[in-house]
Amino acid sequence: MIRFISFFTRALASLILAILFVSCEKQAEPRPNILFIFSDDHAYQAVSAYDYEIGEFAPTPNIDRIAGDGIRFDRCYVTNSICAPSRATILTGMHSHLNGIRTNRDHFDTTMLTFPRILQSGGYQTAIVGKWHLKTTPMGFDYWEVLPGQGHYYNPDFRTPAGMIREKGYVTDIITDKALNWLKEKRNPEKPFMLMLQHKAPHREWEPGPAQLGMFEDVEFPEPSNLFDDYKGRGTAAREQDMTIEKTMRIAADLKMWGDEERNSWWEHTIGRMDDDQRLEWDAVYDPIREKFLEADLSGKELVSWKYQRYMRDYLACIQSVDENVGRVLDYLEESGLAENTIVLYNSDQGFYLGEHGWFDKRFMYEESFRTPLLVRWPGVTDQGQVNGEMVSNLDLAQTFLDIAKLEAHEQMQGESFVPLLKGKIPGDWRKSLYYHYYEFPAVHSVKRHEGVATKQYKLIHFYDLDEWEFYDLEKDPNEMQSVFDHPDYQDLIRELKEELNRLKEQYAVVPPD
Ligand code: SGN
Ligand code: CA
């Protein structure tokens, strides 16, 4: 009898547990959707949420909404500051030497285990729209429509599973239309989604959209204090690069001061793609600017200042279109009720020089190109208006996305999930340093190969082909104007950082480049 009662009690307890489990399963929150909005060469200095001076002249209220509703990361860095390598690091969670994309010239190995693949096999519906830049066919996506190579601003072509198609209009609007269309028409409501919405803008040569043409013509942007840098405080690499506004930036192709006689294949690739109506609107803005420019006959510093203003006016106008289109997507999430369970991230493939050191472009481990904007909103999880100063990296995104989706990361992934930071907690053992390695040389812009280590306050860089070292104290010298590698006060610290660099290289199994 007693045995029977105990058997009966155990059976009843198991039944109750099973019922509880099933009902808990049913009530468990569905896993969140992930919307990853990514732009190309968007400098953090040009996101007004970061409170730099430029933001006062060219605010980005919609991108800022993400930070206002969530969190702004002030120390998000990249492993290798250039486009394809950054994208490959994000997809694989691995440094360049392991994912095989050290430079823009490399082809992405389609058998690589990426976070979209793991999400897809873990029950997510996955999609990518916009810039891809990894040459091979996108894998791990239920839906994809990507730009060939760098893509075009006007009337862009798209690679699709059905072949190449050409769309009429402006690339930032079209990428957004395609993403919204996917959300509205092709999304599977039975599954959580992960959508990568990847803009071409504001990449060189900074062609503004029809709605933003000429919008900053009356604005004088403040010049950075080191626009006329003489590179005296640094080594050979900073002196020998080819990315200055003064010498490298092209009056016709970059600043659109095309004369009839100068029209070449680059003109065909850009302005030449426009239809008659688009050309009329374009010429109505640029023709008078060109006339005034020719009349002024500028040279020397005056010409550099003029080029800087033109550059800013076009670059920031491209960003205005990105911002407006981010607003359209955020509005749709709200209208459709998706916002509540959708994490939105805004990030760029690397930073960019807006005249600092006299430069445009990226590649160097100096702050403006090493750092990138990262804003995240996660309703119900991330408190509003947070600011986080911990060191995070594009290396962390794959593991973060998988953590959000409650899926296991691949053991070869080398980052850290920053979900704890999104929840407002800083783990005691959160990283104190980051490893960086730039490989693309010789190449456009002539930035020498280098590797280095950064902490919140210090940065040690080794241009190894030259065997030249640089060291910066970012608190004393935030613009990195004077390397203090030989300064006696820093020798202990430099020794420690050299050790840290070696430790990181070992941790990440860095192989020496050829
Ligand atoms: C093009 C640009 C360069 C730029 C690279 C890489 N020149 O070559 O200025 O550094 O792309 O950019 S352009 O005349 O074609 O605009 S990246 O973002 O794709 O890495
Ligand atoms: Ca880029």
Side-chain angles (χ1 to χ4, degrees):
M1 183 65 179
I2 291 176
R3 267 172 52 200
F4 174 75
I5 290 176
S6 101
F7 170 78
F8 182 74
T9 328
R10 279 210 309 270
L12 190 68
S14 309
L15 188 68
I16 292 171
L17 273 178
I19 291 168
L20 269 178
F21 182 74
V22 169
S23 62
C24 280
E25 278 279 279
K26 271 201 180 141
Q27 278 166 19
E29 281 286 303
R31 290 180 296 173
N33 306 307
I34 300 167
L35 172 61
F36 182 43
I37 310 178
F38 198 56
S39 52
D40 194 357
D41 294 359
H42 192 171
Y44 58 84
Q45 309 91 295
V47 174
S48 51
Y50 282 104
D51 291 335
Y52 289 87
E53 218 179 350
I54 290 172
E56 293 167 27
F57 296 83
T60 51
N62 292 297
I63 298 172
D64 293 3
R65 267 161 75 184
I66 301 170
D69 293 342
I71 185 163
R72 181 187 96 193
F73 285 92
D74 285 1
R75 285 193 181 87
C76 178
Y77 293 98
V78 296
T79 56
N80 179 358
S81 176
I82 184 159
C83 188
S86 168
R87 289 158 204 266
T89 289
I90 289 172
L91 289 169
T92 61
M94 290 183 217
H95 278 280
S96 305
H97 61 277
L98 288 188
N99 67 40
I101 309 289
R102 292 183 181 81
T103 73
N104 275 346
R105 294 185 284 248
D106 297 318
H107 281 69
F108 191 58
D109 172 359
T110 48
T111 63
M112 202 67 85
L113 200 60
T114 60
F115 85 82
R117 273 204 155 126
I118 303 177
L119 286 179
Q120 193 184 40
S121 57
Y124 269 69
Q125 189 189 14
T126 57
I128 179 165
V129 178
K131 188 167 172 185
W132 166 247
H133 208 203
L134 291 169
K135 298 190 174 77
T136 37
T137 302
M139 301 298 287
F141 297 98
D142 296 310
Y143 181 87
W144 58 269
E145 274 197 80
V146 298
L147 302 173
Q150 297 283 9
H152 298 96
Y153 273 107
Y154 276 82
N155 307 330
D157 297 329
F158 282 83
R159 287 170 67 193
T160 76
M164 198 76 92
I165 54 170
R166 181 168 294 197
E167 302 284 8
K168 188 172 147 40
Y170 185 63
V171 70
T172 309
D173 300 328
I174 296 171
I175 289 171
T176 308
D177 290 344
K178 285 183 185 292
L180 285 173
N181 184 267
W182 183 81
L183 284 171
K184 289 175 189 168
E185 312 284 342
K186 303 192 174 70
R187 195 174 62 81
N188 175 355
E190 302 295 317
K191 286 182 172 187
F193 71 80
M194 188 284 295
L195 168 61
M196 297 173 82
L197 194 174
Q198 313 218 138
H199 287 297
K200 168 184 171 58
H203 192 272
R204 190 184 186 190
E205 71 299 349
W206 322 297
E207 283 176 66
Q212 288 80 27
L213 281 175
M215 70 177 290
F216 290 124
E217 285 320 305
D218 298 330
V219 181
E220 278 294 306
F221 292 96
E223 289 180 357
S225 59
N226 52 2
L227 178 62
F228 296 99
D229 194 345
D230 59 10
Y231 312 113
K232 284 210 176 100
R234 276 132 294 144
T236 313
R239 281 194 308 275
E240 292 190 351
Q241 45 57 42
D242 181 18
M243 49 191 259
T244 61
I245 291 179
E246 182 188 3
K247 298 202 179 94
T248 318
M249 194 177 273
R250 304 160 298 192
I251 299 275
D254 289 319
L255 303 177
K256 296 89 177 179
M257 301 292 102
W258 293 102
D260 289 342
E261 65 293 347
E262 285 152 342
R263 291 180 188 179
N264 56 19
S265 58
W266 193 254
W267 184 88
E268 289 293 340
H269 181 82
T270 56
I271 317 293
R273 292 179 71 83
M274 295 177 192
D275 66 20
D276 290 349
D277 292 343
Q278 291 165 335
R279 266 304 292 288
L280 272 176
E281 284 187 62
W282 182 274
D283 289 346
V285 171
Y286 285 93
D287 282 354
I289 299 172
R290 183 165 182 272
E291 265 165 46
K292 266 188 139 172
F293 168 68
L294 293 176
E295 235 168 71
D297 195 19
L298 303 168
S299 61
K301 283 193 167 180
E302 268 187 346
L303 180 58
V304 173
S305 291
W306 180 89
K307 288 173 90 176
Y308 169 74
Q309 293 299 333
R310 268 265 44 82
Y311 164 37
M312 283 300 93
R313 286 174 187 150
D314 287 351
Y315 177 86
L316 294 165
C318 290
I319 289 171
Q320 288 298 304
S321 170
V322 172
D323 186 69
E324 188 196 299
N325 278 294
V326 166
R328 285 173 64 208
V329 177
L330 295 181
D331 288 348
Y332 173 71
L333 291 182
E334 263 143 49
E335 284 156 26
S336 62
L338 282 169
E340 227 175 280
N341 200 32
T342 301
I343 297 175
V344 183
L345 291 90
Y346 187 86
N347 184 219
S348 177
D349 61 344
Q350 5 73 205
F352 212 67
Y353 295 96
L354 305 183
E356 299 88 354
H357 303 293
W359 295 338
F360 64 101
D361 214 68
K362 51 256 177 180
R363 299 159 196 268
F364 278 106
M365 198 192 169
Y366 304 128
E367 209 65 4
E368 292 83 359
S369 43
F370 179 33
R371 205 183 127 189
T372 184
L374 177 66
L375 314 170
V376 188
R377 144 178 133 173
W378 190 354
V381 175
T382 304
D383 289 343
Q384 298 196 340
Q386 298 295 299
V387 174
N388 186 294
E390 293 307 306
M391 299 185 95
V392 297
S393 164
N394 62 348
L395 188 68
D396 298 331
L397 287 167
Q399 277 147 284
T400 303
F401 292 138
L402 293 172
D403 195 5
I404 288 167
K406 300 191 171 64
L407 292 168
E408 282 288 315
H410 188 263
E411 58 188 14
Q412 275 188 323
M413 291 181 168
Q414 301 182 308
E416 288 286 334
S417 159
F418 55 76
V419 163
L421 306 185
L422 297 176
K423 292 182 172 166
K425 296 186 194 98
I426 303 170
D429 59 353
W430 190 255
R431 74 161 70 79
K432 304 279 183 286
S433 65
L434 279 172
Y435 175 70
Y436 180 82
H437 200 144
Y438 172 78
Y439 298 85
E440 197 181 281
F441 182 86
V444 60
H445 299 305
S446 288
V447 174
K448 308 262 191 313
R449 302 195 294 182
H450 55 292
E451 64 179 354
V453 56
T455 65
K456 282 185 184 174
Q457 190 179 347
Y458 303 105
K459 197 181 287 179
L460 178 71
I461 311 177
H462 189 206
F463 293 93
Y464 48 84
D465 293 326
L466 306 160
D467 199 19
E468 284 184 23
W469 292 84
E470 294 179 13
F471 178 79
Y472 298 93
D473 180 338
L474 297 172
E475 230 160 64
K476 295 214 173 105
D477 179 19
N479 297 331
E480 295 159 303
M481 296 299 284
Q482 182 63 55
S483 166
V484 285
F485 186 75
D486 294 321
H487 197 293
D489 290 358
Y490 288 109
Q491 294 314 303
D492 286 348
L493 250 168
I494 290 171
R495 239 188 320 277
E496 275 172 36
L497 272 185
K498 279 190 176 174
E499 275 171 29
E500 181 63 2
L501 179 61
N502 287 334
R503 188 191 69 76
L504 289 171
K505 284 170 73 170
E506 213 167 293
Q507 178 186 334
Y508 295 131
V510 175
V511 282
D514 306 331

